[in-house]
Amino acid sequence: DGGITQSPKYLFRKEGQNVTLSCEQNLNHDAMYWYRQDPGQGLRLIYYSQIVNDFQKGDIAEGYSVSREKKESFPLTVTSAQKNPTAFYLCASSSGAVPTSEAFFGQGTRLTVV
Amino acid sequence: DQQVKQNSPSLSVQEGRISILNCDYTNSMFDYFLWYKKYPAEGPTFLISISSIKDKNEDGRFTVFLNKSAKHLSLHIVPSQPGDSAVYFCAASAWNSGNTPLVFGKGTRLSVIA
């Protein structure tokens, strides 16, 4: 079954620690994205990558880092510099084909800083 | 500044009646619009989309209308069913400007009352 998988579903982190959220897709999509959802805030773009070994900052990239070494994988690291990391994180992918195709989302990772 | 606005945080509708969810945008470069449905603690799922060359797109009970001059789109669900109760996100992208990532509104929580 093709899809996009995020792991883990729930993650707890102590303040001051870095943590990496996993995102894998087997849809052969070129583009991948990370969004963050906070109550009443909708989905805000953190980083995106339209091709392997290339990525761009989104609207709220501060305190986050990503890598895109493989087409299938786009891990997100939440660093200790992120002031308010507790949130629901969503990874998505799209083919980037003409016209713009819909983005497919994973099931999300809820990160809680304790 | 929000480029995609959903000004109604919530909406309640009787089962069998029509649900109308509204969305406004400010960026005139947006040329592709999508609606996503989201349940709690899950990723959004794609519902329906419309390109700026059209003013209407229909898929079963779901119809999206686009008014480019007013920079407004709406999602009509008829007849509404209890299973439609979820948060609905409007999203937009500027495909002709380089297939930019989706920009999301803050969402409207729809409650369909049996």
Side-chain angles (χ1 to χ4, degrees):
Chain A
D1 273 309
I4 181 163
T5 302
Q6 290 185 243
S7 61
K9 192 165 177 64
Y10 299 96
L11 190 55
F12 295 89
R13 188 197 88 176
K14 290 185 179 179
E15 278 196 42
Q17 287 182 338
N18 292 356
V19 64
T20 297
L21 282 60
S22 169
C23 179
E24 304 277 333
Q25 54 98 0
N26 60 5
L27 299 166
N28 199 33
H29 284 170
D30 287 315
M32 296 187 74
Y33 315 86
W34 276 104
Y35 289 89
R36 167 180 171 146
Q37 185 188 15
D38 296 282
Q41 289 293 322
L43 278 66
R44 293 182 292 168
L45 183 67
I46 304 172
Y47 266 99
Y48 66 102
S49 166
Q50 295 183 317
I51 197 169
V52 175
N53 292 322
D54 188 45
F55 49 82
Q56 284 78 40
K57 292 182 179 179
D59 301 317
I60 54 166
E62 186 176 348
Y64 299 98
S65 66
V66 293
S67 63
R68 187 84 188 278
E69 296 176 2
K70 297 186 300 182
K71 188 175 186 177
E72 303 79 22
S73 178
F74 191 41
L76 173 75
T77 297
V78 184
T79 75
S80 56
Q82 167 51 232
K83 294 188 184 340
N84 187 18
T86 294
F88 189 54
Y89 290 87
L90 287 158
C91 180
S93 70
S94 70
S95 67
V98 174
T100 301
S101 61
E102 66 269 22
F104 293 85
F105 282 84
Q107 290 299 293
T109 293
R110 178 159 303 278
L111 173 65
T112 303
V113 174
V114 296
Chain B
D1 191 28
Q2 268 210 296
Q3 298 185 72
V4 177
K5 300 178 185 179
Q6 293 177 259
N7 292 321
S8 298
S10 62
L11 175 68
S12 287
V13 171
Q14 286 287 123
E15 181 180 5
R17 305 293 290 267
I18 185 171
S19 297
I20 300 176
L21 293 87
N22 293 304
C23 178
D24 298 292
Y25 61 96
T26 57
N27 188 342
S28 58
M29 301 301 290
F30 286 149
D31 52 16
Y32 194 74
F33 305 90
L34 306 88
W35 284 94
Y36 280 83
K37 176 180 179 179
K38 186 182 181 302
Y39 294 114
E42 293 184 8
T45 54
F46 169 74
L47 201 54
I48 192 169
S49 63
I50 188 166
S51 136
S52 60
I53 62 173
K54 294 185 173 182
D55 55 18
K56 177 182 174 182
N57 189 25
E58 192 172 351
D59 183 3
R61 296 186 297 115
F62 303 92
T63 303
V64 56
F65 295 92
L66 175 64
N67 182 335
K68 282 184 293 184
S69 61
K71 293 193 178 67
H72 176 84
L73 62 153
S74 61
L75 174 68
H76 293 211
I77 307 173
V78 56
S80 301
Q81 300 173 353
D84 296 329
S85 297
V87 177
Y88 289 79
F89 288 99
C90 173
S93 81
W95 181 80
N96 279 319
S97 302
N99 196 11
T100 59
L102 296 176
V103 178
F104 286 83
K106 292 188 176 183
T108 296
R109 181 178 301 278
L110 173 66
S111 300
V112 179
I113 304 160

